[in-house]
Amino acid sequence: METSGIVLVAGATGGVGRRGVAALRKKGLPVRVLVRNEEKARKMLGPDVDLIVGDITKESTLVPDYFKGVRRVINAVSVIVGPKEGDTPDRQKYSQGIKFFEPEIKGDSPEKVEYIGIRNLIKAVKGSVGLQNGKLLFGFEDNNYRELAWGALDDVVMGGVSESTFQIDPNGGENGGPTGIFKGVVSTANNGGFTSIRTKNLSTAEDLSAYDGLELRLKGDSRRYKLIVRTSRDWDTVGYTAGFDTVGDQWQTVRVPFSSLKPIFRARTVSDAPPFDPSNIVSLQLMFSKFEYDGKLNPTFVEGAFKVRTRRFCRSYPT
Ligand SMILES: NC(=O)c1ccc[n+]([C@@H]2O[C@H](COP(=O)([O-])OP(=O)(O)OC[C@H]3O[C@@H](n4cnc5c(N)ncnc54)[C@H](OP(=O)(O)O)[C@@H]3O)[C@@H](O)[C@H]2O)c1
């Protein structure tokens, strides 16, 4: 963990949070805590503790300015549970550790804390932890570059004759910068009609659950392409797919919200596929095809040469 930047511990007055604060302090890391009860926090964590008083279920209490300087967040907030029968002043049943007492929720519901609360917390911290900029999955951005192993995947696999390549041009991109060029010749001969490039499976799946979608920066040729995202390591499997239109010979930013991805297998919608899981992104594919889905055709499709330059695939943007 980097030593500059503050680590925020949410739920620092709980059993786990308190231990987390102690461990971070022991490492000499700067800590800020998010607590509901200031008095309880100062008593437990020391009078000088750097704190934000807030309740994650109440968005208005989480003012983004309070989170300035925070680079990492440890969430130890939890739905409060306790024994159904309640504790007595002299006997804290949960601390006895001998008998199991039937628990019940004592405060806000799991939906309010774990879903709405965590969403509010992410929204409040994302500016300071850098989520606002998205994460680079592939491509060139400022001084960053991330490469992925792309390979051509054309209709040759089913007897067609289309062909494509993907190459990096160090100077052919926006403002003379580097770019990746996906180009080729597509043909409908032998019942073919598609070309694509697909990455190898990522060695570690990308967890993009804090984001809304993928953003592409590209220069196309007025044709419609498809972005396909896979969440399985299997080769021949459902691809979560969205089509997008390109403007001819002009750099543009295309946003593909995760909510717009449809589960497609061999150009057909899979109605019983599991919902798209943004926490487990395993591979990406960019396709130019005659086919849309479920028998529909791509209205912009023409046989012959095509070309799209891509500068980046970026993970999401703020909501
Ligand atoms: N305890 C364990 O042995 C253990 C082991 C493994 C994993 N875990 C997991 O670790 C997490 C924390 O457990 P825990 O035992 O530390 O729970 P806990 O002692 O009940 O602490 C919960 C913390 O969350 C805070 N909180 C609750 N609702 C909040 C809200 N709306 N806004 C801000 N803060 C809120 C509480 O603040 P207040 O002080 O104001 O109530 C408290 O600080 C849970 O997900 C649990 O499943 C626990």
Side-chain angles (χ1 to χ4, degrees):
M1 189 181 276
E2 62 179 279
T3 49
S4 64
I6 296 165
V7 184
L8 179 80
V9 180
T13 47
V16 171
R18 193 178 45 196
R19 288 170 176 82
V21 170
L24 293 164
R25 282 178 171 164
K26 211 166 152 192
K27 283 179 189 277
L29 294 164
V31 179
R32 186 172 300 163
V33 298
L34 172 68
V35 295
R36 294 194 287 192
N37 183 329
E38 179 170 359
E39 201 186 330
K40 181 176 171 185
R42 293 205 187 278
K43 218 170 177 178
M44 191 181 274
L45 305 166
D48 300 329
V49 62
D50 178 6
L51 60 75
I52 301 168
V53 178
D55 181 328
I56 64 166
T57 65
K58 299 190 178 79
E59 197 181 342
S60 61
T61 66
L62 308 178
V63 181
D65 263 6
Y66 300 164
F67 299 88
K68 273 200 179 126
V70 169
R71 290 286 175 273
R72 299 282 186 274
V73 179
I74 294 176
N75 173 51
V77 169
S78 166
V79 170
I80 303 296
V81 288
K84 232 179 196 165
E85 310 89 335
D87 284 327
T88 50
D90 55 324
R91 287 171 75 86
Q92 298 282 312
K93 291 179 179 160
Y94 256 44
S95 317
Q96 292 175 11
I98 303 164
K99 184 176 176 311
F100 179 77
F101 292 93
E102 189 65 28
E104 70 175 0
I105 293 168
K106 297 286 185 189
D108 290 323
S109 66
E111 186 193 2
K112 242 182 146 188
V113 177
E114 309 281 352
Y115 175 58
I116 296 170
I118 297 303
R119 199 178 56 182
N120 291 340
L121 182 60
I122 289 173
K123 207 165 163 194
V125 298
K126 70 177 162 192
S128 62
V129 299
L131 289 180
Q132 205 117 24
N133 300 327
K135 186 189 174 195
L136 190 65
L137 280 192
F138 162 80
F140 317 91
E141 202 171 48
D142 305 326
N143 292 323
N144 297 327
Y145 170 49
R146 183 166 171 204
E147 209 166 350
L148 291 177
W150 296 93
L153 178 56
D154 303 322
D155 58 17
V156 186
V157 291
M158 36 177 281
V161 298
S162 303
E163 53 184 16
S164 68
T165 59
F166 185 70
Q167 286 161 355
I168 304 292
D169 178 350
N171 305 308
E174 201 170 8
N175 306 322
T179 188
I181 304 177
F182 169 42
K183 66 176 181 180
V185 178
V186 66
S187 159
T188 55
N190 301 348
N191 294 323
F194 73 86
T195 70
S196 77
I197 46 166
R198 177 170 169 174
T199 65
K200 278 191 179 156
N201 286 345
L202 306 178
S203 47
T204 310
E206 282 286 351
D207 178 356
L208 307 188
S209 50
Y211 302 89
D212 287 343
L214 291 163
E215 185 180 281
L216 295 80
R217 180 83 185 152
L218 48 82
K219 182 154 96 170
D221 51 5
S222 313
R223 312 245 164 96
R224 181 176 298 172
Y225 290 80
K226 284 179 195 171
L227 177 67
I228 304 171
V229 187
R230 285 189 175 76
T231 56
S232 162
R233 297 200 164 266
D234 297 340
W235 177 254
D236 208 11
T237 181
V238 170
Y240 293 84
T241 305
F244 61 87
D245 292 310
T246 64
V247 184
D249 215 27
Q250 193 179 308
W251 284 98
Q252 65 182 120
T253 298
V254 173
R255 282 185 166 182
V256 179
F258 291 141
S259 57
S260 71
L261 293 169
K262 292 193 172 72
I264 305 289
F265 184 63
R266 297 188 185 159
R268 302 236 156 254
T269 304
V270 183
S271 51
D272 57 353
F276 177 69
D277 175 7
S279 72
N280 188 37
I281 291 178
V282 170
S283 72
L284 300 170
Q285 187 173 0
L286 186 60
M287 179 176 276
F288 180 48
S289 175
K290 172 184 165 183
F291 310 99
E292 298 250 294
Y293 332 101
D294 304 325
K296 288 196 208 84
L297 295 177
N298 177 354
T300 69
F301 180 81
V302 275
E303 291 196 66
F306 69 92
K307 178 167 164 180
V308 58
R309 291 163 192 268
T310 74
R311 201 166 101 101
R312 68 169 189 248
F313 283 105
C314 197
R315 79 179 175 186
S316 182
Y317 34 87
T319 36

